[in-house]
Amino acid sequence: MGNLFDKGSALVASAMRAALSTEIVYIRGAESARIPATVGRTVFEVEDSHGVLRWESRDFVVSACDLVLGALPETPAKGDLIEERDCDGKVRVYEVSAPGREQEWRYADTSRRLIRVHTKLRQQTA
């Protein structure tokens, strides 16, 4: 039996999945999985030799227990792909990545039920 934070985290994860999610296809090599995800964004500011770079990520928040590839639970990896279809039928392909030394993903809650995956648009089809 979990503590109050665990119970709250489970409730939030369930509500997000039921009311705010869209189906995506998570792809790693030849393996793929259709999973529900809530879409968000993160703005990074990374300093380099040319100044400050503003980098906006399209984020996908998924349940950690849904991210299963080839019958094994996984965590996101740089270079993985996410396909998202919009209401007009356009498919956008995003690559898991983050700028500089930022991590490509992080847990989105204290109970580690939700994973926030940072991506960049790679391809769009009509």
Side-chain angles (χ1 to χ4, degrees):
M1 182 169 223
N3 64 33
L4 190 56
F5 285 117
D6 288 338
K7 291 177 184 175
S9 178
L11 182 63
V12 167
S14 176
M16 283 177 62
R17 183 178 192 167
L20 302 172
S21 67
T22 186
E23 185 180 77
I24 62 167
V25 180
Y26 194 96
I27 303 164
R28 178 178 294 156
E31 300 290 337
S32 67
R34 293 184 180 279
I35 59 176
T38 302
V39 178
R41 73 183 186 118
T42 299
V43 177
F44 296 96
E45 288 190 0
V46 180
E47 192 170 342
D48 67 7
S49 61
H50 302 290
V52 176
L53 169 70
R54 185 175 185 273
W55 200 88
E56 186 172 320
S57 165
R58 183 164 182 89
D59 295 348
F60 295 91
V61 180
V62 300
S63 174
C65 64
D66 286 340
L67 189 50
V68 176
L69 298 169
L72 298 172
E74 296 287 348
T75 55
K78 185 174 184 169
D80 288 353
L81 302 176
I82 294 176
E83 286 184 358
E84 178 187 31
R85 183 177 302 272
D86 69 14
C87 59
D88 295 329
K90 291 180 184 171
V91 176
R92 290 181 177 87
V93 178
Y94 296 88
E95 183 173 349
V96 175
S97 80
R101 294 185 177 146
E102 297 288 338
Q103 290 186 329
E104 288 79 25
W105 68 276
R106 68 176 193 263
Y107 288 107
D109 64 332
T110 57
S111 298
R112 297 181 173 216
R113 293 179 195 277
L114 298 173
I115 295 174
R116 176 176 287 269
V117 184
H118 304 299
T119 69
K120 255 327 216 190
L121 182 64
R122 181 173 170 181
Q123 176 184 356
Q124 177 176 322
T125 63

